Amino acid sequence: MKQLLDICGSELVRASVLFGLVSGLIACGVVEHPHETQALATSNDFAPLGGTGALPQAGSVATGGLVSAAGTMTSGGQGEVVGLVGGGGGAGGTSGSVPGTAGTAPTGTAGTPAVASGITINLGGVEVPKEKAIAFIHVGHSNMAGRATKPQASRPFHFTETNPHAYMYHVGSMPALAIEPKTAGDTAAAGPGTALVKEAAMMAPNYYFISLGYGKPSAYCSQFIPGGLYYDQLIASAKSIKGRVTFGGIFIYLGITERHGSDADRTGFANCVNKLVTAIRTDVGEPNLPAVMNDYEVEGSGEFVVGGAVATAIRPQIAMCSTLVKTFALVSAQGIGMEDDHHFNLDGHRTWVQRALMTFKQNGWAFWAP
């Protein structure tokens, strides 16, 4: 009986302390924002850390070749690469301490990653150096989650064929070969995630690429930024894998769903995208991490047609992102294959990621590309 009372007493003390802490936070105006799900344990997601280096501290990893001069946009047709013009090559990176080595890293140069850290990540039984494991963060609305099912002839590339250098990772499971509809999906259809890492692996076969994707149907920008409904979920995989990979870029599908928000969501869209990109860069410790976003889905029809109310309200804000967000470009959706009145089909997703990756290469952001 005494042991039972002792246990109960200690539990009551802990509960009282916890209640006091929570009450104090609320009294100070600190309130937890809503979470869609509880945090998942990540202890079994990876093999033990390989190599001789220790996990780096935030902001300590040297970065190189990620800064681009500002440029202007061009429009493009089917298969045409659209990105920054006049911005051109990357500049030298910033230096900082490298985990597992003494002193500071040398300054990076365009097209050259930072010095080797000695850290590896196990991908499919292969110990891949951190510098050769390139992680892409991709986030957006239902088009990112995936609605593509056709054309039938293109299904194998997205749904059944894998590339041994193209992976995906979600918190709660080990990295696995990328395949749709699993990169960012909520249905049995495909988004751009598999195409993104497979196309990158074909461009740079000596590297490994990892999809860190999150899509949410009908979601608009203010729901993705910190304090919104979905930021914790979209950044979870990136934060969990941080220190084991080299982050290569941010890929965004947003804009058309701002119609679900308020007037403030539409008029503040460019500022919101800047907040989202800045938050992701801060959390992964890469202040110059390149980012691209889809330009308006000009092949949309019905209420989404160019010249309609939806397009007219948001297109100026989309265009403003190019001047407001640093190290950023819009990728044209002109000539993109469509699944329906506003979602890309399988070929459309593949075309878009090809354009996005070429935009990275042309601007000197793709240090991994030959």
Side-chain angles (χ1 to χ4, degrees):
M1 176 62 74
K2 182 179 183 302
Q3 289 178 328
L4 181 60
L5 288 173
D6 288 343
I7 293 172
C8 292
S10 62
E11 291 297 320
L12 286 171
V13 169
R14 281 193 290 269
S16 176
V17 171
L18 179 59
F19 178 78
L21 288 172
V22 172
S23 299
L25 287 173
I26 293 174
C28 294
V30 181
V31 180
E32 183 82 352
H33 63 264
H35 288 267
E36 186 182 46
T37 57
Q38 294 296 317
L40 296 174
T42 62
S43 57
N44 295 319
D45 287 1
F46 308 105
L49 192 68
T52 58
L55 278 171
Q57 299 300 311
S60 67
V61 181
T63 59
L66 297 182
V67 181
S68 168
T72 58
M73 295 301 303
T74 64
S75 60
Q78 176 66 34
E80 181 181 351
V81 176
V82 180
L84 290 174
V85 177
T94 58
S95 62
S97 60
V98 174
T101 63
T104 59
T107 302
T109 58
T112 306
V115 299
S117 63
I119 295 173
T120 63
I121 182 172
N122 190 288
L123 297 174
V126 178
E127 291 297 329
V128 180
K130 170 185 172 180
E131 293 73 24
K132 292 283 188 178
I134 311 302
F136 291 147
I137 301 165
H138 53 103
V139 58
H141 46 49
S142 57
N143 217 15
M144 182 62 71
R147 293 295 182 268
T149 62
K150 57 189 180 187
Q152 186 67 29
S154 299
R155 289 182 63 86
F157 178 84
H158 299 267
F159 290 98
T160 57
E161 298 170 358
T162 58
N163 183 305
H165 284 218
Y167 279 76
M168 59 185 175
Y169 169 65
H170 298 290
V171 172
S173 59
M174 295 178 65
L177 291 172
I179 203 74
E180 293 302 321
K182 299 178 180 180
T183 55
D186 65 323
T187 71
T194 294
L196 177 61
V197 288
K198 287 178 69 175
E199 288 289 343
M202 288 186 284
M203 286 178 66
N206 292 327
Y207 286 81
Y208 286 72
F209 296 87
I210 304 166
S211 152
L212 306 177
Y214 185 84
K216 200 67 179 179
S218 299
Y220 42 94
C221 182
S222 63
Q223 296 178 316
F224 285 113
I225 61 176
L229 292 175
Y230 307 123
Y231 183 77
D232 287 353
Q233 289 89 341
L234 76 87
I235 201 64
S237 294
K239 290 174 71 173
S240 180
I241 207 170
K242 179 181 176 181
R244 298 174 179 266
V245 298
T246 299
F247 290 102
I250 304 167
F251 299 78
I252 301 170
Y253 277 0
L254 278 178
I256 205 167
T257 46
E258 300 307 301
R259 72 189 191 280
H260 296 303
S262 64
D263 287 342
D265 284 306
R266 288 180 285 278
T267 59
F269 177 71
N271 283 317
C272 184
V273 170
N274 191 33
K275 289 179 183 178
L276 173 60
V277 172
T278 300
I280 293 173
R281 288 168 172 168
T282 299
D283 270 335
V284 301
E286 295 289 349
N288 295 315
L289 187 64
V292 295
M293 187 178 76
N294 60 289
D295 205 340
Y296 186 75
E297 291 92 326
V298 293
E299 302 301 335
S301 57
E303 68 172 310
F304 307 102
V305 68
V306 171
V310 172
T312 300
I314 199 62
R315 290 189 79 183
Q317 282 289 318
I318 292 175
M320 193 182 300
C321 292
S322 295
T323 59
L324 189 62
V325 188
K326 67 176 183 179
T327 325
F328 178 92
L330 293 174
V331 179
S332 174
Q334 186 172 344
I336 289 288
M338 302 297 288
E339 181 81 10
D340 51 35
D341 61 356
H342 65 296
H343 295 111
F344 300 164
N345 68 12
L346 297 173
D347 291 346
H349 282 304
R350 189 171 181 182
T351 299
W352 190 86
V353 301
Q354 287 171 343
R355 293 177 181 179
L357 292 171
M358 190 56 65
T359 298
F360 267 63
K361 185 173 181 179
Q362 289 183 331
N363 284 283
W365 302 339
F367 60 85
W368 37 268

